Amino acid sequence: MLKTSIRLWKVITCDLFGLNELRYTKDSGKRKRALGMGLLWALVILMFEGYLIASMLGYVKIGMAEILPIYCYAVTGILILMLTLLKAGNVLFSWNSLENLLAMPIPRSAILIARFLNLYTTNLLFTAAVMLPGMMIYGMAAGAGPVCFAVFLLGILFAPLLPLTLATGLAALIKGISSRMKYKRLAEAALMIVISVGIIALFSGGDYEAISAETIKNLTNTIVVQLSAVYPPAAWFQKSATEETLLPMLALILVSLAVFTVLMLLLNRFFLPICTALRQTGTKHHGKVMTGDRSSLMWALVKREFRYYFSQSLYMSNTAIGLVMMAAASVAVSVIGPESIEAKIGMQGIVVKLLPYGLALCGCIMSTTASSVSLEGKTRWLTRSLPIPEKTQYDSKLLMALLLDLPFYLIAVAAAAIGMKPAGADLVRLIVIPAVFLVFAAVIGLYANLLFPRFDWENEVQVIKQGAATAVAMFAAMVVIFLSGGAFAAAHFLFPTPLAGNMVSACTTFVVILLTLLLYRIISRKKLEQ
Amino acid sequence: MLKIQHLTKEYKGGKRAVDDLTLTVEPGDIYGFIGHNGAGKTTTIKCVVGIHDFDAGEILIDGVSVKEDPLGCKRKLAYVPDNPDLYEYLTGIQYLNFIADVFGLTRQEREERIPREADLFEMMDDLGDLISSYSHGMKQKLALIGALIHEPKLLILDEPFVGLDPKATLMLKNRMHQLCESGTAIFFSTHVLDVAERLCNKVAIIRQGKLITAGKTEELTHGETLESVFMEVIEHAENKH
């Protein structure tokens, strides 16, 4: 069975990042685009590694090298848990190719394991990207011996297993529950968002107030204790790496394998029923047909976009999570009160100034437009053969994204306005900045998707979670928000009068508006590749 | 109604899928487009309906170039591919209403035409269900209903009989005859030579992107079967190469 799983895994994984297609394609345009994307990814990875290495060296410089093992292990674990939760269900229980596979002499468990291994592969690469620099920096700083290096190498192999298993278990549970419901996609997306926000709240719930008063030694101990508390397996890894003993690491491996085995046994029992239940749709068989009211072309397209949106749980959960966080963060800040947060971080008046950028950051995590073009997939022939101008199609996707943003934006702004009572320029910024960035995120998302469309996907995950367009759009929106927010914060704190900050804020917002208009103009004239 | 003049289409990588193809479909024609797998039938059709651009030549629909006024041309035609991937998240009626919205049909036109076409293909009872619950044949029928409700001047079908049950095949053939009598032009690709012989007043045979022969069915066959003519002309073309 293991051999079959590995064969299947090879077939599934050989097109990871589109490498197999790139290898065999005769389309030079595709090669060029892939090269461009490769360079972009290389830049993102370089920046990520640069940030990681700089922060690790920073810890070494202030004498906190000891936290590096647990830092690496906990960061990878928590991120894998978060990121996998949103896609595991769709990868594991995907109906695509399942019918063909089930008709072959392949055990069901082999299909399950191959799909799990597919998830493991990408997470293994991510783990290596975090832990390898950690190993080198900690190894040199602490003068570590071979056991420590062995622990790190084993850590790279096994660190993804436990969070991946937990995320898979949770995702399976969500799929299992939602498959019994009438509105299964909606229920699934709602459960996914609730659990994701819950996990974020759980892992960000540490009280760091007391840390500033401690000595470096105590600080190190405090962080180790806190990371161990939010992610207990990391403590075993820490013990193994710092004390150079293999026993806790072996225990960790055994526990990971045991949890994985139990999950696979459970999933194997429920795999097919869940896949089948998710596939089933109710049929009415009635003779009465409501032909409905006439809609304009634009509204017909917007309605179609919304119907697709609410039929795809992965699409909903991945794009709505940022919007939910935007509204939830605003409500939370208003309920807790900005003063108590400012007292904790020791910076008076900061929350009301920076909240608009924070809200924009949450709301712009992933716009629907970054994947809505690619998601047309195999149905693309319809819009291409129907008399629909391309601009109208693009506008409908933008309109849908903005209509989706609107209620969350209104809740966020209303809650912040009521809770914090900002006045004058602060109120204007609270209203304008999130709105401008939400529009910007929608436009840049669409632009990125038109630049990097992918129609030949087998599973929506390939577009929504792994798509080049979503990565580019997310990265670009974040960079622009950080630059605008950073410029505003610098002006606000460097100059004594509020005028400087307000001027900088107005200028950066104006630049973002101009950039949005420019991108929209380019999009309006863009022809989609065939 | 449809004029294809010296159409040439090359795919990226240099493969010439259609090579200097010329043919004309008149109003009232049922025009069969015949060829082996990979002969260039679907590529030609996709160029006509605007899914593919083309490298050389001209395509005119009702005298209008598809390059100059693609939307105007698309308003006059309807297309059904060989394997219609429809919006699975919509119900049948939502899909038909979407098509009706795109073509700007009035409420009265919808209420008259949707039940008429749906009844013909015995789909009326299934229109309230999600397309994802449909079989391949039902999807094919829904795509055909969607193609017919806006009463196109030119109907383009790619392998329309694949996946249809015998009754639906007969219904479609009858409907094609009716449309042809009302002046609609039908251009369709097929592998089923018997059907082409009995249904089409004109046929064209294509091989490796080149038109081998085209004309009125009875003039091409001269009392022989279309199958034997097809094999003969293909063999002749192969020998020439």
Side-chain angles (χ1 to χ4, degrees):
Chain A
M1 188 198 65
L2 201 62
K3 267 188 183 172
T4 317
S5 295
I6 289 171
R7 271 193 211 118
L8 260 178
W9 164 76
K10 276 185 187 167
V11 171
I12 299 170
T13 314
C14 76
D15 201 29
L16 194 68
F17 309 122
L19 288 175
N20 197 53
E21 204 186 343
L22 183 66
R23 189 176 161 194
Y24 293 107
T25 186
K26 289 173 184 167
D27 183 347
S28 58
K30 205 170 238 179
R31 278 179 190 276
K32 277 180 199 157
R33 276 196 302 280
L35 187 71
M37 252 340 282
L39 288 172
L40 199 74
W41 273 113
L43 184 72
V44 172
I45 291 167
L46 264 176
M47 287 176 70
F48 175 70
E49 290 292 322
Y51 167 75
L52 210 63
I53 290 169
S55 65
M56 286 177 189
L57 288 174
Y59 282 125
V60 172
K61 197 159 177 69
I62 59 169
M64 291 170 65
E66 208 180 309
I67 71 158
L68 288 184
I70 197 167
Y71 172 76
C72 293
Y73 199 88
V75 163
T76 49
I78 293 164
L79 283 176
I80 287 173
L81 181 64
M82 282 300 307
L83 298 174
T84 310
L85 178 65
L86 291 169
K87 69 174 178 183
N90 275 57
V91 173
L92 280 184
F93 303 107
S94 162
W95 194 259
N96 289 332
S97 75
L98 189 63
E99 275 174 317
N100 285 342
L101 291 175
L102 288 174
M104 291 181 200
I106 297 173
R108 208 181 298 165
S109 48
I111 303 172
L112 195 60
I113 290 174
R115 288 182 171 189
F116 186 89
L117 283 176
N118 178 32
L119 287 170
Y120 174 80
T121 312
T122 43
N123 285 307
L124 181 69
L125 295 175
F126 172 70
T127 309
V130 176
M131 302 246 311
L132 276 175
M135 180 179 79
M136 301 309 292
I137 293 169
Y138 177 74
M140 284 190 288
V147 176
C148 175
F149 286 100
V151 167
F152 261 97
L153 291 174
L154 283 171
I156 291 171
L157 280 178
F158 287 94
L161 194 58
L162 202 55
L164 196 56
T165 311
L166 291 174
T168 307
L170 275 173
L173 194 67
I174 291 169
K175 285 272 182 194
I177 294 169
S178 56
S179 68
R180 291 161 181 268
M181 297 185 177
K182 190 181 175 192
Y183 298 105
K184 46 190 77 155
R185 311 287 176 208
L186 209 59
E188 189 188 335
L191 281 171
M192 195 69 85
I193 290 168
V194 167
I195 291 178
S196 301
V197 173
I199 291 172
I200 292 169
L202 183 76
F203 287 135
S204 56
D207 184 5
Y208 293 93
E209 197 177 7
I211 291 172
S212 58
E214 301 293 328
T215 62
I216 292 293
K217 180 67 188 164
N218 285 342
L219 186 65
T220 306
N221 289 339
T222 309
I223 292 174
V224 169
V225 168
Q226 281 188 341
L227 284 173
S228 307
V230 292
Y231 191 52
W236 294 356
F237 181 76
Q238 171 77 0
K239 191 174 168 62
S240 220
T242 52
E243 294 177 16
E244 303 214 20
T245 164
L246 277 173
L247 218 58
M249 187 66 210
L250 290 176
L252 180 56
I253 292 170
L254 280 177
V255 168
S256 303
L257 287 173
V259 174
F260 165 73
T261 311
V262 170
L263 181 85
M264 284 299 119
L265 289 172
L266 273 173
L267 282 185
N268 194 35
R269 164 78 182 77
F270 297 108
F271 179 55
L272 206 53
I274 294 178
C275 287
T276 315
L278 285 169
R279 179 88 181 148
Q280 274 167 358
T281 47
T283 51
K284 292 173 192 157
H285 288 294
H286 56 67
K288 197 180 169 199
V289 168
M290 301 294 288
T291 47
D293 288 327
R294 195 178 162 185
S295 301
S296 68
L297 179 57
M298 172 64 85
W299 194 238
L301 288 167
V302 172
K303 277 199 295 189
R304 184 194 65 126
E305 291 288 336
F306 268 109
R307 281 179 177 137
Y308 181 71
Y309 185 77
F310 289 112
S311 73
Q312 296 297 322
S313 53
L314 184 83
Y315 193 23
M316 258 189 286
S317 54
N318 276 272
T319 51
I321 192 163
L323 297 172
V324 171
M325 278 166 59
M326 177 174 76
S330 181
V331 171
V333 169
S334 301
V335 170
I336 296 166
E339 301 82 12
S340 57
I341 299 168
E342 286 160 358
K344 275 191 179 186
I345 52 178
M347 295 171 97
Q348 282 303 309
I350 188 80
V351 173
V352 75
K353 299 285 177 200
L354 288 182
L355 188 68
Y357 293 100
L359 296 181
L361 195 63
C362 292
C364 299
I365 286 178
M366 194 187 284
S367 177
T368 53
T369 52
S371 45
S372 60
V373 175
S374 298
L375 284 171
E376 297 266 342
K378 287 173 185 165
T379 61
R380 204 169 143 244
W381 68 272
L382 264 162
T383 40
R384 283 194 75 85
S385 64
L386 289 172
I388 306 171
E390 276 168 328
K391 186 178 177 300
T392 314
Q393 288 181 47
Y394 304 155
D395 286 347
S396 72
K397 290 180 190 298
L398 283 173
L399 188 58
M400 182 263 173
L402 297 178
L403 286 173
L404 185 71
D405 293 344
L406 189 65
F408 296 98
Y409 163 78
L410 290 176
I411 291 169
V413 170
I418 294 165
M420 299 195 301
K421 297 182 180 59
D426 289 338
L427 181 62
V428 172
R429 270 208 314 278
L430 177 66
I431 295 167
V432 173
I433 288 171
V436 166
F437 279 105
L438 284 171
V439 178
F440 172 71
V443 173
I444 200 156
L446 184 60
Y447 178 69
N449 204 184
L450 290 172
L451 220 54
F452 303 108
R454 178 168 186 186
F455 299 106
D456 56 349
W457 46 268
E458 287 293 317
N459 190 320
E460 288 92 354
V461 171
Q462 290 169 286
V463 171
I464 298 165
K465 296 286 290 180
Q466 298 161 354
T470 48
V472 169
M474 195 192 297
F475 183 66
M478 279 183 167
V479 167
V480 175
I481 293 170
F482 272 118
L483 286 176
S484 307
F488 166 70
H492 181 73
F493 290 110
L494 289 176
F495 296 98
T497 61
L499 185 68
N502 291 339
M503 287 294 288
V504 169
S505 180
C507 286
T508 52
T509 309
F510 183 66
V511 170
V512 175
I513 292 172
L514 280 183
L515 191 59
T516 308
L517 288 173
L518 178 73
L519 284 173
Y520 179 70
R521 201 176 149 86
I522 297 170
I523 287 168
S524 301
R525 293 169 179 185
K526 197 157 175 61
K527 259 196 95 177
L528 195 55
E529 64 149 48
Q530 288 179 19
Chain B
M1 179 52 61
L2 168 66
K3 268 191 181 172
I4 302 176
Q5 295 169 333
H6 307 290
L7 177 72
T8 299
K9 164 75 185 170
E10 260 184 32
Y11 281 117
K12 285 169 185 169
K15 191 195 169 193
R16 186 167 280 203
V18 184
D19 190 359
D20 197 29
L21 184 112
T22 297
L23 58 84
T24 303
V25 184
E26 304 287 349
D29 275 349
I30 301 183
Y31 203 120
F33 197 36
I34 302 164
H36 285 309
N37 293 333
K41 304 186 294 294
T42 299
T43 304
T44 306
I45 284 176
K46 284 184 174 176
C47 289
V48 172
V49 301
I51 293 176
H52 285 339
D53 282 335
F54 45 93
D55 303 298
E58 184 61 281
I59 298 172
L60 302 169
I61 292 172
D62 207 11
V64 180
S65 162
V66 296
K67 277 197 168 165
E68 279 167 24
D69 184 10
L71 292 179
C73 289
K74 286 177 189 180
R75 282 191 194 101
K76 291 174 191 163
L77 67 83
Y79 163 61
V80 179
D82 53 345
N83 189 12
D85 287 299
L86 305 174
Y87 302 129
E88 303 225 332
Y89 48 92
L90 298 183
T91 63
I93 190 66
Q94 283 173 340
Y95 169 75
L96 294 177
N97 268 317
F98 171 72
I99 298 290
D101 284 335
V102 170
F103 284 93
L105 298 192
T106 62
R107 193 186 174 99
Q108 197 186 339
E109 285 169 332
R110 292 164 204 234
E111 282 172 353
E112 178 201 320
R113 294 177 194 175
I114 292 176
R116 183 185 74 201
E117 303 298 341
D119 272 338
L120 183 78
F121 289 101
E122 297 180 332
M123 283 288 289
M124 201 62 189
D125 287 349
D126 303 299
L127 290 184
D129 297 335
L130 279 174
I131 297 174
S132 56
S133 69
Y134 286 7
S135 68
H136 176 85
M138 287 163 83
K139 285 180 191 167
Q140 186 95 344
K141 287 182 196 174
L142 186 69
L144 284 163
I145 297 167
L148 295 171
I149 56 169
H150 59 93
E151 298 186 343
K153 285 184 166 182
L154 173 64
L155 183 60
I156 296 176
L157 311 169
D158 195 357
E159 300 287 354
F161 302 105
V162 174
L164 287 184
D165 57 54
K167 196 173 177 188
T169 304
L170 183 68
M171 298 296 176
L172 177 59
K173 283 187 211 166
N174 291 341
R175 191 76 181 99
M176 284 166 85
H177 280 302
Q178 279 175 8
L179 289 167
C180 145
E181 280 161 19
S182 66
T184 304
I186 301 171
F187 181 60
F188 76 101
S189 71
T190 184
H191 283 116
V192 191
L193 298 178
D194 283 351
V195 171
E197 188 173 356
R198 273 182 269 134
L199 193 63
C200 304
N201 64 322
K202 287 179 188 166
V203 290
I205 297 175
I206 181 175
R207 181 187 167 273
Q208 290 180 355
K210 285 183 193 262
L211 189 73
I212 305 295
T213 184
K216 288 188 177 165
T217 314
E218 66 262 26
E219 286 173 9
L220 283 179
T221 52
H222 288 298
E224 288 181 66
T225 63
L226 185 60
E227 190 176 29
S228 59
V229 173
F230 176 77
M231 295 313 291
E232 199 178 304
V233 294
I234 290 289
E235 208 168 291
H236 181 68
E238 276 168 5
N239 290 339
K240 263 173 76 176
H241 282 82

